[in-house]
Amino acid sequence: MDSIYLDDVLKRRDRWLVEQIRQMSVDILNLGTYTCTACGEVAGEYIIDYSGEKLRLSMAETYALLKFVLEKSSP
């Protein structure tokens, strides 16, 4: 696979992840979980307040946690 093509795919994936995290962060507010999306975009790690605990997570870990919490909260 051409490295230029792979770089483009990874950049598009990262933009998709950022957008997914933004949307899930809004969706999860009613569960009392807060995500600092600006932190992730600036520092590369997201700060999440989950049940009174503050977590610092990578983009992939943030996506996974938010997705997990949202799916667990659905009936």
Side-chain angles (χ1 to χ4, degrees):
M1 186 181 286
D2 188 305
S3 67
I4 294 172
Y5 175 75
L6 181 58
D7 287 345
D8 183 54
V9 169
L10 293 176
K11 286 177 186 174
R12 287 187 290 142
R13 184 236 17 215
D14 287 349
R15 286 192 301 268
W16 177 84
L17 266 176
V18 166
E19 186 54 40
Q20 292 296 306
I21 289 169
R22 277 190 202 130
Q23 183 58 51
M24 287 190 293
S25 294
V26 171
D27 295 343
I28 207 166
L29 283 172
N30 66 335
L31 300 175
T33 300
Y34 305 95
T35 306
C36 179
T37 55
C39 298
E41 293 171 20
V42 173
E45 288 187 323
Y46 289 82
I47 298 172
I48 299 174
D49 185 323
Y50 178 72
S51 298
E53 287 190 52
K54 293 210 182 338
L55 307 166
R56 294 182 77 91
L57 301 173
S58 69
M59 185 176 359
E61 291 171 317
T62 298
Y63 175 83
L65 177 66
L66 295 177
K67 184 87 171 157
F68 176 76
V69 171
L70 282 170
E71 286 185 6
K72 291 272 296 179
S73 70
S74 297

